[in-house]
Amino acid sequence: MSKKIAILPGDGIGPEIIAEAVKVLTFLRREHALALELEQATVGGSAYDEHGTTLPESTLALAREADSVLLGAVGGPKWDSLEPALRPEKALLRLRSELELFANLRPAVLFPQLADASTLKADVVSGLDIMFVRELTGGIYFGEPRGVRTRPGGEREAYNTLVYSEPEIKRIAHCAFAIARKRHAKVCSVDKANVLEVSVLWREVVTDVGAQYNDVALTHMYVDNAAMQLVRAPKQFDVIVTTNMFGDILSDTAAMLTGSIGMLPSASLDRASKGLYEPIHGAAPDIAGRGIANPLAAILSVAMLLRYSLGEPDIAVRVEQAISSVLDAGLRTADIFTGKGQKVGTREMGDAVIDALSQR
Ligand code: NAD
């Protein structure tokens, strides 16, 4: 039976980079006779302009019905003055929660060819390959009660609730161990168990789940140390599993070690491995429409889609190798151009990836 992929290009550079990702997916569908149906819909500011809402019901219905979703990015100055509930970014949050995408996978991979684009020394980051598994639908970002209240003396105070249940911790832990099995069999669980009760439970439950994966080595690290280790010796990590907020902060730190935001994909998965795949960058309104955006994060998102939702790890590796050989050949979009090699635009980069795939 054919699988349906919802294509949501979004705003800004979203349509430009997703066009290249779709070109690659269409090429692979033909080459490998993949039974895939692609259907496009609007999301974000462009959906607001057309339908008066950033997540039209028809888009949500398509995303629900589809086996997975490939998304570009949303947002831009045109919609910044909308009230918060109507902002394009809210469409993404709603999509993630409606689809129950609780596991956010964010690889921080440095292609060795780009080691000189990182802010850290090349020998510290060369070969970096970390997979963050961040809990995405629980923790302090969603905990109740939350709010701002006025104390009897008249001053205001604000509060949020950090809460995790055993089932929530278990499912993200299983996800991390299963992924580690397909990588280098190491999981580091990051918490703050010296201070927070939630972290004590987190550590206990992750340890219990880990006992079912004897082939995976489990370590625990406090979040402050993890932040330090990520910039001191990031290559010690394989899979890092952590809570929503710690993962948000640490994965952005790690992303920056790799040099360019234009190279990093992500996946958000549900229990059945249905996923929303998207680059980690935003709509980049400053360069939208100029044909210079880096499409590689979007193309790497296609590789993640193949690996995690379509069960095609070998084809995913082909995509990653094709990108590597394009970088070997010296092709660089503006964001990763350091003076050497050949500067190319969005479309040329997409075409080069397809050329490299054709030659393999
Ligand atoms: P951004 O990621 O869009 O851009 C940050 C910088 O990185 C910009 O200078 C941009 O030109 C550059 N950049 C980003 N992607 C690039 C690519 N593929 N190739 C080359 N350069 C690239 O972040 P921002 O400027 O803070 O946000 C712009 C808009 O995007 C805002 O409306 C924001 O809310 C939204 N946003 C959306 C998402 C998402 O859709 N997931 C994520 C972050 C920000």
Side-chain angles (χ1 to χ4, degrees), residues 13 17 71-77 79-80 87-89 92 96 260-263 278-288 292-298 333-336 346:
I13 60 168
I17 54 160
L71 189 139
V74 298
W79 306 284
D80 278 351
R87 295 276 299 267
E89 295 78 0
L92 274 190
R96 289 173 188 151
S260 173
I261 200 168
M263 294 294 300
E278 56 181 325
I280 72 158
H281 61 71
D286 54 335
I287 57 166
I292 60 169
N294 186 346
L296 294 180
T333 42
D335 56 309
I336 50 173
T346 312

Side-chain angles (χ1 to χ4, degrees), residues 115-139:
D116 55 357
S118 173
T119 47
L120 292 197
K121 288 189 196 122
D123 62 315
V124 175
V125 289
S126 191
L128 182 79
D129 181 1
I130 305 173
M131 177 64 82
F132 279 88
V133 179
R134 164 190 170 199
E135 202 291 325
L136 197 60
T137 51

Side-chain angles (χ1 to χ4, degrees), residues 60-131:
L60 184 57
L62 171 66
R64 280 209 183 101
E65 168 208 344
D67 293 278
S68 278
V69 179
L70 179 64
L71 189 139
V74 298
K78 185 174 176 198
W79 306 284
D80 278 351
S81 54
L82 291 176
E83 64 174 90
L86 296 177
R87 295 276 299 267
E89 295 78 0
K90 278 277 189 257
L92 274 190
L93 295 182
R94 173 138 185 251
L95 209 45
R96 289 173 188 151
S97 76
E98 291 278 344
L99 301 181
E100 291 182 55
L101 305 170
F102 69 91
N104 185 211
L105 275 47
R106 282 183 55 166
V109 175
L110 180 80
F111 284 88
Q113 301 91 331
L114 302 181
D116 55 357
S118 173
T119 47
L120 292 197
K121 288 189 196 122
D123 62 315
V124 175
V125 289
S126 191
L128 182 79
D129 181 1
I130 305 173
M131 177 64 82

